[in-house]
Amino acid sequence: MKGVLKINFFLKRKQRCFLFEIYRSAVMSLLLLVFIPVIIRAQQQGNLYLRKGNKAYDAKNYKDAEADYEKALHDKSAAVKGKFNLGDAYFRQGQYDQAVEAYKQALSLTKDKILTAHAYHNIGNCEMEQKKYEEGIKQYENSLLNNPSDDDTRYNLAYAQDKLKQQQQKQNNQQQKQQNQQQNQQQQQKQDNDKQQQKQPQQQQQQNISQQDAQRILDALNNDEKNLQAQMQKKKANPKQDTIVKNW
């Protein structure tokens, strides 16, 4: 009896486990039936916004394209393309820093060599638009590491290297021009100082001459005054008698 009881209990336990598995499978199936359409709709929405954004982009409505690509980012399956295309929309609007950030986010979401090469290529274009030629060269080189056969990137790399040389030459010319201006200013200052030093003895000489002339004038005045005093003394010694006529 005890043996039968044990067997019956074991059978009941096995039946319960079986029923639980059936229940769990049913729940999982129900959840899948509920969420799979939601996931599919989300993916469809993501792809829908990508296509809508691409249409606006092709029509050069870059602000509208930006908004659609932002909406596509809610779908993780469309995140890489959404970020990449969002970078393109920013680029066309001249928002180069935002474009670089979007491309870098796309890079963090993918390991695809071609897409990675394209992202680095476009980052290089952003740097070139801001005349950051040295940084642009680095980005084009990163692009070629992932896709060495890209002729467009090789062309842009050569162009960036040429622009960097021109920029450096221009900077060197400006520095040389500044140095020449400083040297000219120093030479002009030296000439002005030399002229000033030459004028000082002449001015001193003119001043001395003027003092000598003044002294001669004073001496002459003194002599005149002495002569006048001598004449006055003579008049006092021999006074002139006036004649008075009286009528009486």
Side-chain angles (χ1 to χ4, degrees):
M1 292 295 292
K2 291 182 179 180
V4 172
L5 288 175
K6 287 183 179 180
I7 292 172
N8 287 340
F9 178 76
F10 176 75
L11 288 173
K12 289 180 181 179
R13 184 178 178 182
K14 189 172 182 180
Q15 288 173 351
R16 288 176 181 175
C17 291
F18 179 71
L19 290 174
F20 177 75
E21 289 295 332
I22 293 175
Y23 174 77
R24 187 173 66 177
S25 298
V27 171
M28 291 298 295
S29 298
L30 181 61
L31 290 174
L32 289 174
L33 288 174
V34 172
F35 287 106
I36 284 178
V38 174
I39 295 172
I40 292 174
R41 281 199 300 272
Q43 291 177 345
Q44 290 175 343
Q45 285 292 324
N47 291 329
L48 177 64
Y49 282 122
L50 280 177
R51 290 193 296 270
K52 188 178 178 182
N54 292 343
K55 185 176 180 180
Y57 183 91
D58 291 338
K60 298 183 179 181
N61 297 324
Y62 302 120
K63 194 66 180 177
D64 292 341
E66 174 190 340
D68 290 326
Y69 293 142
E70 288 280 5
K71 293 176 182 177
L73 297 178
H74 296 294
D75 173 17
K76 291 184 178 180
S77 66
V80 177
K81 292 180 180 179
K83 283 293 184 182
F84 189 94
N85 291 1
L86 182 61
D88 289 346
Y90 283 137
F91 179 86
R92 294 301 181 184
Q93 296 177 82
Q95 301 175 16
Y96 303 117
D97 290 337
Q98 293 91 324
V100 169
E101 184 61 27
Y103 291 133
K104 287 182 176 179
Q105 290 177 2
L107 284 171
S108 67
L109 296 173
T110 185
K111 294 183 180 179
D112 182 85
K113 287 281 188 180
I114 300 300
L115 186 57
T116 297
H118 289 335
Y120 278 124
H121 177 101
N122 287 359
I123 293 175
N125 289 348
C126 292
E127 304 296 354
M128 291 293 293
E129 289 294 334
Q130 300 178 86
K131 301 186 186 304
K132 299 178 181 178
Y133 302 127
E134 191 169 359
E135 187 62 30
I137 289 172
K138 293 179 182 178
Q139 300 304 328
Y140 292 139
E141 289 174 345
N142 288 336
S143 178
L144 289 173
L145 288 175
N146 289 276
N147 185 18
S149 62
D150 192 320
D151 291 334
D152 290 340
T153 303
R154 283 203 296 268
Y155 173 85
N156 284 12
L157 175 60
Y159 178 77
Q161 291 170 338
D162 184 63
K163 295 296 289 185
L164 178 60
K165 289 180 181 178
Q166 293 179 16
Q167 186 183 63
Q168 291 173 341
Q169 184 63 43
K170 184 177 181 180
Q171 291 174 349
N172 292 336
N173 291 340
Q174 289 177 345
Q175 291 176 355
Q176 186 63 43
K177 184 178 180 180
Q178 290 177 353
Q179 290 177 357
N180 292 338
Q181 288 177 346
Q182 290 177 353
Q183 290 177 355
N184 292 336
Q185 289 176 354
Q186 291 173 356
Q187 291 177 355
Q188 185 63 41
Q189 184 65 35
K190 186 176 182 301
Q191 291 176 358
D192 293 342
N193 292 338
D194 292 342
K195 289 180 179 179
Q196 187 65 29
Q197 291 175 358
Q198 291 174 359
K199 287 181 179 179
Q200 288 178 354
Q202 294 177 355
Q203 291 175 351
Q204 186 66 32
Q205 185 178 6
Q206 291 176 355
Q207 184 176 2
N208 293 336
I209 294 173
S210 298
Q211 289 178 351
Q212 292 174 0
D213 291 341
Q215 188 62 43
R216 283 197 296 268
I217 293 171
L218 289 173
D219 291 342
L221 291 173
N222 289 331
N223 292 331
D224 291 341
E225 184 177 359
K226 289 178 180 179
N227 293 332
L228 181 61
Q229 288 177 355
Q231 292 175 1
M232 292 294 293
Q233 289 296 330
K234 288 180 179 180
K235 288 181 178 181
K236 287 181 180 180
N238 298 305
K240 185 177 180 181
Q241 184 68 34
D242 290 335
T243 300
I244 299 176
V245 178
K246 291 182 180 182
N247 295 318
W248 66 77

